[in-house]
């Protein structure tokens, strides 16, 4: 026993402190592989807003460049700017036109200003073309009544090509 | 003596003189991981588009460009998640199927079967005019769109005549163009 302790002491004296990195490298390799798998190479990425639950779909095409519109239970956002406030997914009737209840005034104003900007760019730059594309992220709990108003107003503002963002099931 | 030396050799193995320097690899990973964590999208909103055969693509484009339609397919969806599928030739109704069960999933399956039947009769039509009721949830609208868009693996194959190659092409899509007909009706 005494001899064994002495031998251990002798061995300890000989070796310096070496950090074992193998396990850490293994872990990092796994993390890198996982991240590479979930890394998106698409030019346009859509990150769902916090608290927004998108519907699930089996068939989705690539997201396209367009005006980003979010319709959540709290409000309607255009390019991250809150345009209309909703209360539990319902719109106040004062937000709509008296003669046309499907027309959301503030949303039209905001979208129209974006359309105008795009038209101005188009005048200066011939390569740029205003296509009226809009990518809508809407909460799955919303009803068609509200979405109909949103789609109707968007089409009147010149955004007739509406793309619905959904979660990929595949 | 020789035996003693051998024993000593066994007890004190030679120290390895070859060691890989892992520090550059670690430095690289420490840089890569935060960069990828920032750029990675954990919720995928996009997937690869399904490539369609040339003949099918052409047929879809041709159908989209039609200004006047002789045959119109209408799909109505009520607040109680029941369906009414109508095929109109001009003003007259030629085909009508109603799906009115209590279970929405079962209703969707039934609707899909009817849509397959309609597609079989009209393989060159790719558009459906959709009329959901106002209280229908967006989630359910997307589900209906999914059912109408694609032919499932266990469905009967549907073929489209290809005049260029004189060979029918199997369709993978049914009605990719779903138009909200009641959008402008107010």
């Amino acid at each position: 026993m005494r001899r064994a302790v002495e031998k251990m002491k002798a061995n300890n004296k000989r070796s310096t402190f070496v950090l074992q990195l193998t396990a850490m490298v293994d872990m990092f390799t796994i993390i890198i592989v996982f991240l590479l798998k979930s890394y998106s190479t698409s030019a346009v990425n859509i990150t769902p807003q916090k608290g927004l639950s998108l519907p699930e779909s089996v068939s989705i095409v690539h997201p396209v460049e367009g005006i980003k519109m979010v319709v959540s239970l709290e409000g309607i956002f255009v390019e991250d700017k809150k345009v209309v406030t909703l209360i539990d997914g319902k719109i106040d009737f004062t937000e709509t036109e008296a003669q046309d209840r499907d027309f959301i005034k503030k949303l039209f104003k905001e979208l129209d200003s974006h359309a105008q900007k795009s038209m101005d760019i188009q005048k200066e730059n011939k390569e740029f073309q205003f296509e009226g594309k809009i990518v809508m992220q809407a909460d799955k709990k919303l009803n068609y009544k509200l979405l109909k108003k949103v789609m109707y107003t968007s089409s009147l503002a010149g955004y007739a090509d509406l793309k619905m963002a959904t979660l990929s099931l595949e | 003596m020789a035996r003693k030396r051998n024993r000593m050799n066994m007890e004190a193995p030679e120290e390895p003189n070859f060691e890989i320097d892992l520090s550059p690899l670690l430095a690289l990973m420490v840089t890569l991981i935060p960069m990828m964590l920032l750029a990675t999208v954990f919720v995928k909103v996009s997937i690869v588009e399904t490539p369609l055969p040339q003949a099918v693509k052409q047929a879809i484009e041709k159908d989209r460009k039609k200004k006047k339609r002789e045959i119109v397919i209408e799909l109505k969806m009520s607040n109680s998640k029941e369906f009414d599928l109508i095929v109109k030739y001009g003003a007259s109704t030629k085909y009508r199927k109603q799906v009115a069960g209590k279970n929405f999933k079962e209703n969707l399956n039934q609707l899909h079967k009817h849509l397959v039947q309609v597609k079989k009769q009209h393989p060159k039509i790719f558009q459906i005019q959709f009329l959901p009721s106002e209280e229908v949830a967006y989630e359910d609208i997307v589900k209906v769109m999914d059912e109408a868009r694609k032919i499932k693996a266990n469905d009967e194959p549907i073929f489209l005549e290809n005049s260029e190659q004189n060979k029918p092409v199997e369709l993978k899509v049914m009605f990719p163009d779903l138009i909200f007909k009641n959008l402008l009706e107010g």
Side-chain angles (χ1 to χ4, degrees), chain A residues 40-69:
Chain A
S40 174
T41 47
S42 173
V44 186
N45 277 326
I46 297 170
T47 316
Q49 211 184 52
K50 202 182 169 188
L52 183 86
S53 47
L54 293 175
E56 290 168 343
S57 173
V58 288
S59 180
I60 314 168
V61 289
H62 284 293
V64 288
E65 283 277 6
I67 289 277
K68 208 171 87 184
M69 180 164 69

Side-chain angles (χ1 to χ4, degrees), chain B residues 90-112:
Chain B
S92 60
T93 302
K94 290 282 175 193
Y95 179 92
R96 188 169 191 173
K97 282 282 173 197
Q98 285 177 311
V99 181
K102 282 179 185 171
N103 187 343
F104 181 53
K105 207 176 171 186
E106 190 55 42
N107 284 0
L108 281 176
N109 288 338
Q110 283 296 317
L111 174 73
H112 183 82

Side-chain angles (χ1 to χ4, degrees), chain B residues 45-171:
Chain B
V45 183
S46 63
I47 57 157
V48 183
E49 204 170 355
T50 324
L52 299 170
Q54 197 60 31
V56 181
K57 254 186 183 175
Q58 282 172 358
I60 293 174
E61 283 304 315
K62 204 178 163 187
D63 188 56
R64 274 180 191 157
K65 282 173 188 166
K66 266 185 196 170
K67 282 181 182 169
K68 203 183 172 190
R69 292 175 180 275
E70 292 118 38
I71 306 163
V72 175
I73 304 167
E74 266 185 23
L75 178 64
K76 291 177 184 172
M77 187 180 178
S78 70
N79 291 336
S80 51
K81 297 176 183 178
E82 292 167 351
F83 301 102
D84 194 2
L85 180 65
I86 306 159
V87 181
K88 286 178 180 171
Y89 287 66
S92 60
T93 302
K94 290 282 175 193
Y95 179 92
R96 188 169 191 173
K97 282 282 173 197
Q98 285 177 311
V99 181
K102 282 179 185 171
N103 187 343
F104 181 53
K105 207 176 171 186
E106 190 55 42
N107 284 0
L108 281 176
N109 288 338
Q110 283 296 317
L111 174 73
H112 183 82
K113 279 177 191 168
H114 293 315
L115 285 169
V116 171
Q117 290 306 313
V118 172
K119 186 69 190 174
K120 262 185 150 184
Q121 286 166 11
H122 310 285
K124 285 183 180 173
I125 296 176
F126 294 91
Q127 192 190 84
I128 278 194
Q129 297 189 345
F130 189 35
L131 297 104
S133 295
E134 289 197 330
E135 294 307 316
V136 173
Y138 176 49
E139 187 183 16
D140 297 333
I141 291 175
V142 174
K143 278 178 187 164
V144 174
M145 288 168 101
D146 276 351
E147 290 297 328
R149 195 181 291 118
K150 278 185 177 179
I151 293 171
K152 291 177 186 172
N154 51 354
D155 288 334
E156 280 179 65
I158 302 171
F159 295 93
L160 178 80
E161 277 177 38
N162 185 5
S163 53
E164 280 176 18
Q165 292 176 357
N166 291 325
K167 202 174 138 190
V169 182
E170 193 182 339
L171 285 172

Side-chain angles (χ1 to χ4, degrees), chain A residues 25 28-29, chain B residues 21-30:
Chain A
V25 171
F28 277 165
T29 311
Chain B
D21 187 13
L22 293 171
S23 22
L25 190 71
L26 259 178
L28 178 81
M29 283 177 167
V30 169

